[in-house]
Amino acid sequence: MLFSIIWWVLSGGEAGSWVIGAPAVVCAVAVSIALSPPVKVVWWRLVAFMPFFVWQSLKGGIEVAQLAFQPSMSLAPELIEYPLRLSSGLAQVAMINVTSLLPGTLSSEIEGNVLKIHILDSQSNYLAELQRLEQRLGQIFPSLSEQTGREDS
């Protein structure tokens, strides 16, 4: 889809350009797949994750709105280090991005397998939320060693 949109923009939306554009898009997709590292995705778990994702996004937005209208709320902000158990790659990228949508959290940096997260309220149950998110993402993106039966090292 992305390559089709890029072609459409580059061609100025000319319908006749798809004579060249369609094969170019197919080649771009094939090269992209060939160069991408192998990733296993459990699609039904990804679909089941969507309501959780939407709900956490809404909760995060509501919390920010409450803070904007009630600046007197007592907060205990903190920068924490959260060791990731997810395999590197797409699973970690998803964790980094989705963490910022959890209420009161913002991913700030990753060093190796440690994610630095800004927490608005260190008195909240942020650790349980992060662990639950990581567990769900681990079920969506099982590591390659799990596919072959080897243990992660």
Side-chain angles (χ1 to χ4, degrees), residues 53-129:
F53 174 81
V54 169
W55 176 244
Q56 293 302 318
S57 299
L58 286 172
K59 280 175 46 179
I62 290 168
E63 184 173 302
V64 169
Q66 285 176 332
L67 290 173
F69 292 112
Q70 294 178 331
S72 63
M73 290 180 73
S74 63
L75 298 175
E78 186 176 340
L79 187 64
I80 65 157
E81 292 186 350
Y82 183 81
L84 294 171
R85 292 173 293 164
L86 294 170
S87 61
S88 60
L90 189 55
Q92 284 190 356
V93 170
M95 178 71 177
I96 292 164
N97 291 323
V98 177
T99 295
S100 295
L101 296 175
L102 292 175
T105 61
L106 177 66
S107 297
S108 65
E109 184 179 357
I110 187 164
E111 290 180 3
N113 282 340
V114 176
L115 179 58
K116 292 186 180 180
I117 305 169
H118 182 267
I119 305 291
L120 280 180
D121 188 3
S122 60
Q123 305 304 313
S124 69
N125 196 12
Y126 66 88
L127 188 57
E129 290 291 322

Side-chain angles (χ1 to χ4, degrees), residues 18-70:
W18 285 103
V19 171
I20 296 171
V25 166
V26 169
C27 286
V29 169
V31 168
S32 177
I33 290 170
L35 294 177
S36 297
V39 175
K40 178 171 172 54
V41 176
V42 181
W43 292 103
W44 71 268
R45 289 189 185 215
L46 179 62
V47 171
F49 180 77
M50 291 303 151
F52 171 82
F53 174 81
V54 169
W55 176 244
Q56 293 302 318
S57 299
L58 286 172
K59 280 175 46 179
I62 290 168
E63 184 173 302
V64 169
Q66 285 176 332
L67 290 173
F69 292 112
Q70 294 178 331

